[in-house]
């Protein structure tokens, strides 16, 4: 079972394989198509998320698990998503 930790960080900064919950999304930082895509994928407050892999090339995409889906997000998009880490 997990308990919440009060610290919030961006999804971009979340360590790999660290379970977290979406705490907030800064919709104003996203373009309309980016925001629409996140909503269509199910990104919203309270949803569980986990970073699976980061591109080794500079500012490449981040592979994330949301529910049972694996999606690739641009780092700027991941930076607009604030998460709460879980503690074991």
């Amino acid at each position: 079972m997990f308990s919440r930790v009060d610290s919030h960080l961006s999804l971009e900064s979340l360590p790999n394989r660290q379970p977290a919950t979406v705490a907030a999304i800064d919709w104003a930082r996203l373009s309309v198509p980016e925001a629409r895509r996140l909503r269509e994928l199910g990104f919203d407050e309270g949803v569980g998320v986990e970073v699976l892999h980061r591109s080794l090339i500079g500012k490449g995409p981040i592979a994330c698990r949301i529910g049972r889906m694996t999606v690739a997000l641009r780092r700027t998009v991941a930076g607009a998503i604030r998460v709460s880490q879980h503690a074991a």
Side-chain angles (χ1 to χ4, degrees):
M1 184 119 194
F2 293 102
S3 62
R4 290 191 179 198
V5 175
D6 289 333
S7 65
H8 292 247
L9 65 154
S10 71
L11 181 59
E12 181 182 18
S13 303
L14 185 68
N16 287 0
R17 303 290 180 175
Q18 173 66 49
T21 301
V22 175
I25 300 174
D26 186 354
W27 299 109
R29 286 183 54 185
L30 303 172
S31 69
V32 172
E34 290 169 335
R36 183 180 310 117
R37 179 173 179 252
L38 284 186
R39 287 185 178 107
E40 289 171 353
L41 291 171
F43 277 87
D44 205 355
E45 291 181 18
V47 173
V49 67
E50 179 180 1
V51 173
L52 301 175
H53 180 75
R54 287 176 169 76
S55 171
L56 297 176
I57 303 171
K59 299 218 181 235
I62 297 173
C64 302
R65 177 178 296 135
I66 177 167
R68 293 177 15 193
M69 291 185 300
T70 300
V71 298
L73 298 176
R74 291 184 184 114
R75 289 186 190 242
T76 56
V77 172
I81 302 170
R82 305 299 293 175
V83 298
S84 297
Q85 288 182 283
H86 297 165

